Amino acid sequence: IENHDTIGMLALDNKGNLSGACTTSGAAYKLPGRVGDSPIIGAGLYVDNEVGAATATGMGELMMKTVGCHLVVELMRQGASPQEACRQAVQRIANKLDDFEQFQVGFLALNKQGEYGAFCIQSGFNYAVRDAQGEQLIDAKNLLENKA
Amino acid sequence: ALIKLTNKPVVVSTWNYGLHANEIAWEVLSNGGKSIDAVEQGIRFLEENPDVMSVGYGSFPDREGKVTLDACIMDENQNCGSVAFLQGIKHPISVARKVMDNTSHEMLVGDGAKQFALFQGFRDENLLTPEAEEAWKKWLVKSNYEPVTN
């Protein structure tokens, strides 16, 4: 997992404005010239100030072919909570893979009301929150935890 | 009717390193600063840290031993900046911010991104730490040189 932990960050400021940032060195020992989702607006990061923001971690190729973070924000636009939007986006990626349990993708989202949530395929993805209540490290819900 | 209060300011970030990055971003937010400045400052803190081996300085290289970095940033007005395949520059997030603020483009890659960064005053540095180089050389020994899907 340490092989692909992009750092993504989303913030809502005092004026109620959202921004996001995402940075990575990509997969260790990647082929020269390989680019993942992290620098791609819509895949590794998306912000719509009317709705919310999302960022992603895990296997970039999967986020790129589903335009994952744009999807998460659009699901929030349709009324989903941040966690539910992340869950639906992860589910959509998993549905297209025969062996989704072999992969990790995780989304983190923050909406205009300052609510946040995350979801991933496998356990092990966590995220950090800082607000007026203090700091927290939260384990993201995952697709495999309700199985077996 | 109940009025739901907005929880603000707030910052969230991926992985446990995010706790440290959030502290930096919170400094900006709790002083009434802008979210775009908060996320840039928070991310810079991790890019600088050689112990975080998947971001910025100290990262694992590609299979030829080159550290190549990708980053993007987006603000509340749909302004975006992005860099990819950038080498030798410690803070790709700030180069992405400069692409957003100082050009009419959204994405620069490779040598062009580096030339832009140098023009904007960023320094050319060796980003491969002895620790990352050692890990790479160890990997090379067993490497079957096929794309890894992890």
Side-chain angles (χ1 to χ4, degrees):
Chain A
I1 300 224
E2 83 170 316
N3 204 359
H4 41 60
D5 41 341
T6 299
I7 299 284
M9 178 180 265
L10 311 169
L12 179 69
D13 64 25
N14 266 332
K15 288 191 171 155
N17 285 325
L18 288 160
S19 298
C22 185
T23 192
T24 192
S25 56
Y29 321 129
K30 62 194 173 187
L31 285 173
R34 179 266 188 186
V35 171
D37 63 312
S38 298
I40 309 295
I41 297 294
L45 175 72
Y46 197 68
V47 178
D48 186 324
N49 207 43
E50 289 176 23
V51 178
T55 189
T57 186
M59 197 183 176
E61 282 75 4
L62 296 175
M63 254 75 74
M64 293 164 87
K65 61 173 113 183
T66 47
V67 200
C69 286
H70 184 262
L71 173 60
V72 170
V73 171
E74 290 308 301
L75 290 165
M76 290 195 287
R77 191 191 309 278
Q78 292 164 25
S81 69
Q83 185 181 306
E84 175 58 14
C86 292
R87 188 196 67 77
Q88 288 185 33
V90 166
Q91 186 69 61
R92 192 177 300 187
I93 290 173
N95 288 349
K96 294 189 188 299
L97 296 168
D98 296 330
D99 52 349
F100 72 90
E101 295 179 17
Q102 310 295 314
F103 297 100
Q104 176 67 309
V105 296
F107 292 105
L108 171 63
L110 173 67
N111 71 14
K112 192 72 178 165
Q113 287 71 49
E115 299 164 324
Y116 46 82
F119 208 88
C120 54
I121 292 179
Q122 306 180 26
S123 64
F125 171 46
N126 54 17
Y127 64 101
V129 180
R130 181 69 167 93
D131 60 13
Q133 277 79 55
E135 64 171 30
Q136 296 179 74
L137 187 64
I138 300 174
D139 287 324
K141 296 281 178 201
N142 68 81
L143 207 55
L144 300 182
E145 68 193 338
N146 295 326
K147 278 193 56 177
Chain B
L2 275 170
I3 296 168
K4 205 168 178 187
L5 291 175
T6 298
N7 177 33
K8 66 180 181 182
V10 54
V11 56
V12 297
S13 54
T14 55
W15 305 105
N16 50 342
Y17 307 116
L19 284 174
H20 306 295
N22 284 358
E23 277 180 50
I24 306 296
W26 185 255
E27 276 294 305
V28 176
L29 293 172
S30 60
N31 286 310
K34 294 175 69 177
S35 57
I36 190 69
D37 296 321
V39 295
E40 183 188 359
Q41 293 306 316
I43 292 284
R44 279 179 65 93
F45 176 76
L46 297 177
E47 286 177 340
E48 189 117 11
N49 186 341
D51 298 333
V52 186
M53 297 183 81
S54 56
V55 167
Y57 176 65
S59 284
F60 291 118
D62 69 11
R63 58 189 53 198
E64 293 185 343
K66 292 185 177 127
V67 175
T68 76
L69 304 175
D70 305 332
C72 73
I73 193 163
M74 186 165 186
D75 77 2
E76 74 274 14
N77 295 315
Q78 266 350 101
N79 296 312
C80 311
S82 169
V83 291
F85 199 53
L86 176 64
Q87 297 174 52
I89 307 289
K90 196 183 264 183
H91 289 300
I93 200 65
S94 293
V95 183
R97 175 88 190 254
K98 295 283 189 195
V99 172
M100 177 173 95
D101 289 345
N102 296 353
T103 77
S104 54
H105 305 311
E106 196 244 278
M107 186 174 200
L108 295 176
V109 306
D111 289 343
K114 182 165 186 177
Q115 289 312 310
F116 171 74
L118 295 174
F119 184 72
Q120 293 288 322
F122 291 83
R123 272 197 302 147
D124 189 355
E125 295 175 86
N126 175 25
L127 304 182
L128 187 65
T129 56
E131 290 77 12
E133 189 174 7
E134 200 186 314
W136 167 62
K137 284 184 172 157
K138 222 182 224 173
W139 175 84
L140 270 184
V141 175
K142 289 186 191 166
S143 147
N144 57 3
Y145 221 78
E146 278 170 16
V148 189
T149 50
N150 52 1

